[in-house]
Amino acid sequence: MLVKTKEVAPSVHALTIPTPFLVGPVNVYVIEGEALTLVDTGPKTEEARDVLTEELKALGYRPEDVEILILTHHHPDHIGLTDLFTGAKLYGHEKTRPWLEGSETFHERKARFFSGLYQSHGVPEAVTAMIEGANSYYAAYASRSPLSGTLKEDDAVPGLAGWTVIETPGHAQSQISLYRESDGILISGDHLIKHISSNAIIEAPYEEGEERPKTLLQYRESLRKCLHVKRAFSGHGDPVDNPAELIRERMAKQLEKAAVIKALLGNEKLTAFELCVRLYPQMYKKQPGLTLSETLGHLDLLEDGGKVSAVKSEGVYYYQSC
Ligand SMILES: [Zn+2]
């Protein structure tokens, strides 16, 4: 087996783990601090389990040597093998909890939220069914494990002196990044990725009665928080050597995409789904959930900037230019 482990920064090793998903392999990180720490795991597949075990072995470790396991966010390609590390203490943001521990009330509320959301944005039932099918497919690659503790903004990372937590919600509500001040490096999970723009995925609120988070607006705020970072190590692909430049590029592209949506809207009154079809005439059929998130996120951005407004009529939102 070809072992691709490499030391990307002092005491930080990148391990590349295969996934069955379109995004390709996922990077997980071994950090040799006061405690032997692993950041993320890869998806729940035999292949990922074998590669992760082999790559740990190449560094001289067995899974049971890992003392602390930290999850950057709750997506299955990052949390699928937590049960391989039964001897490790497991940490993540509080919002990883319902995904890891399988809260029934959370998942029921989430299902109700999305069915209402899709209806109110004009999504046909057949497309909603496709999105739900895709979500269950992904969920099968996650695993369930109880958290030992949670991490929030500015927390010191347990077992890793000199590392702190930066909350970076947007791509996922549970997304955190780990920052080492001495050399300005960031383990960014899917918050910053060099070769693809991270989707600010629409999520349900985590508490009853809350509004849905405006994920693209959040994401832009989280990007601004990382302008000082010197080098970022991502969940997918190569390290980001100039994070500030990439952040500015991503933020400019978001404004460009929002302008395209506004141009597509013209003087009509359209639903988010109708705009999604215009923006992604082919891709929406293959990735309806992600393309709808993109469209709705950029509509939120336009609405926030006073460039479009949404009017509800018979339970459905119609967007129009201001
Ligand atoms: Zn992700």
Side-chain angles (χ1 to χ4, degrees):
M1 191 179 293
L2 181 65
V3 172
K4 300 183 210 78
T5 307
K6 52 183 182 285
E7 189 168 16
V8 290
S11 77
V12 181
H13 304 265
L15 284 57
T16 304
I17 311 299
T19 82
F21 309 131
L22 214 55
V23 69
V26 61
N27 298 323
V28 308
Y29 296 89
V30 167
I31 308 175
E32 292 161 317
E34 292 71 40
L36 183 68
T37 302
L38 178 67
V39 182
D40 290 341
T41 69
K44 187 167 71 180
T45 66
E46 279 302 313
E47 192 191 9
R49 186 178 296 256
D50 291 347
V51 172
L52 179 55
T53 308
E54 278 302 310
E55 297 213 0
L56 283 171
K57 196 170 152 193
L59 291 173
Y61 302 118
R62 299 160 305 166
E64 52 269 40
D65 296 328
V66 173
E67 297 168 273
I68 290 184
L69 174 57
I70 298 174
L71 303 173
T72 59
H73 64 300
H74 69 265
H75 292 161
D77 48 339
H78 298 260
I79 69 163
L81 295 172
T82 49
D83 55 1
L84 186 59
F85 302 94
T86 44
K89 285 190 170 158
L90 179 62
Y91 294 90
H93 191 271
E94 177 61 37
K95 287 178 177 165
T96 55
R97 193 187 293 282
W99 305 93
L100 281 171
E101 300 181 1
S103 154
E104 282 298 315
T105 40
F106 174 75
H107 289 285
E108 277 164 24
R109 199 173 58 240
K110 178 162 67 71
R112 272 202 312 279
F113 165 82
F114 275 108
S115 106
L117 180 84
Y118 293 145
Q119 251 174 21
S120 68
H121 286 288
V123 182
E125 271 175 31
V127 176
T128 300
M130 279 167 65
I131 299 173
E132 281 165 0
N135 288 345
S136 336
Y137 163 80
Y138 283 113
Y141 294 94
S143 68
R144 296 267 164 98
S145 299
L147 279 173
S148 314
T150 57
L151 297 173
K152 61 177 189 324
E153 183 79 3
D154 286 336
D155 276 354
V157 179
L160 295 180
W163 290 80
T164 49
V165 173
I166 305 180
E167 288 188 2
T168 46
H171 168 69
Q173 293 304 297
S174 59
Q175 176 80 58
I176 53 168
S177 299
L178 308 179
Y179 180 63
R180 184 163 71 185
E181 191 165 13
S182 60
D183 55 359
I185 62 169
L186 189 77
I187 307 271
S188 63
D190 288 357
H191 175 53
L192 262 186
I193 301 175
K194 188 176 179 177
H195 65 293
I196 36 172
S197 63
S198 307
N199 190 307
I201 297 172
I202 300 292
E203 286 190 39
Y206 281 67
E207 299 295 334
E208 188 78 61
E210 275 182 4
E211 292 281 301
R212 79 172 162 89
K214 302 272 171 80
T215 52
L216 185 63
L217 300 181
Q218 263 185 335
Y219 181 53
R220 288 168 64 80
E221 206 46 56
S222 295
L223 284 174
R224 284 187 200 101
K225 281 168 84 176
C226 296
L227 281 165
H228 64 290
V229 168
K230 293 206 171 68
R231 200 160 188 237
F233 299 104
S234 308
H236 304 276
D238 292 334
V240 180
D241 293 323
N242 190 340
E245 188 183 282
L246 184 70
I247 287 168
R248 291 197 185 95
E249 193 186 309
R250 292 274 182 265
M251 293 185 73
K253 285 268 158 59
Q254 289 155 3
L255 295 178
E256 280 170 30
K257 193 178 276 186
V260 169
I261 293 177
K262 186 164 156 64
L264 287 171
L265 181 59
N267 293 321
E268 295 179 81
K269 286 184 183 171
L270 297 174
T271 66
F273 180 70
E274 286 168 326
L275 281 163
C276 176
V277 173
R278 289 191 185 185
L279 188 60
Y280 301 105
Q282 292 306 319
M283 219 208 308
Y284 94 89
K285 295 175 203 160
K286 287 189 194 129
Q287 299 201 293
L290 290 182
T291 52
L292 196 66
S293 261
E294 278 290 294
T295 311
L296 205 48
H298 286 80
L299 283 167
D300 288 342
L301 185 58
L302 285 167
E303 202 177 6
D304 186 63
K307 296 193 171 121
V308 305
S309 63
V311 179
K312 206 171 190 180
S313 166
E314 292 178 13
V316 177
Y317 288 106
Y318 293 89
Y319 289 87
Q320 58 188 41
S321 290
C322 294

